[in-house]
Amino acid sequence: MLDRDIEIMRRELLERFTEDFKEELFAATILEPDEDMPIPVVRVIYDEMGDVDDQAVAEFYFTPTTSEDDTVSFFTGIITLQEGIPEEALGRLYEAMSYINFQIPCGAFAIDRGHHVLAYRLCTPMSMDMGREEIYEQMNVCAGNSAAIADSYMGVLRDVAEEKMSIDEVKDLLGGRE
């Protein structure tokens, strides 16, 4: 498939993805490409993530292909869980995230380079030979897994950042190997 055909198909899938979120009563929109972000991104607001009153912002997008020889494409979901991380919480968060990341089946919790944003990121590889419906199914798998895992640990990480939960309590919660 030609690069332009891939772009058109991806755009159509992102539009469908956005409409499906809206049908489920989520605030969702497509952010258009600009100089800071050269690709379209679907932004979704999750009103009930972690605890009932918590809100998280998710962004979903296709990573651009780099050559016609690419055999794998990537669909990424990033869910921002917290902005404005206190500097004194960084060490605790990094340690808690390392234990959680070791336990979760896919993706990873991370903090941006500026140490301001706590997020969950899941990148889903897809064969370039997949059909439109297979791709759409994997987009939904990525979104569902991203939301489920972020939702499961958002409260824990927030409690660690706010010193309401110790690292030993995180380890006890996770169980598993030492």
Side-chain angles (χ1 to χ4, degrees), residues 76-95:
T76 300
I78 297 175
I79 301 180
T80 299
L81 304 174
Q82 181 178 340
E83 292 186 36
I85 300 169
E87 190 173 325
E88 63 275 4
L90 288 172
R92 293 188 305 275
L93 278 172
Y94 282 124
E95 186 173 358

Side-chain angles (χ1 to χ4, degrees), residues 16-41:
R16 179 177 166 194
F17 192 63
T18 303
E19 290 307 312
D20 284 352
F21 270 110
K22 289 179 180 179
E23 284 179 18
E24 296 295 322
L25 304 178
F26 288 92
T29 190
I30 296 179
L31 304 176
E32 297 300 334
D34 62 23
E35 60 190 45
D36 294 329
M37 179 182 56
I39 54 173
V41 174

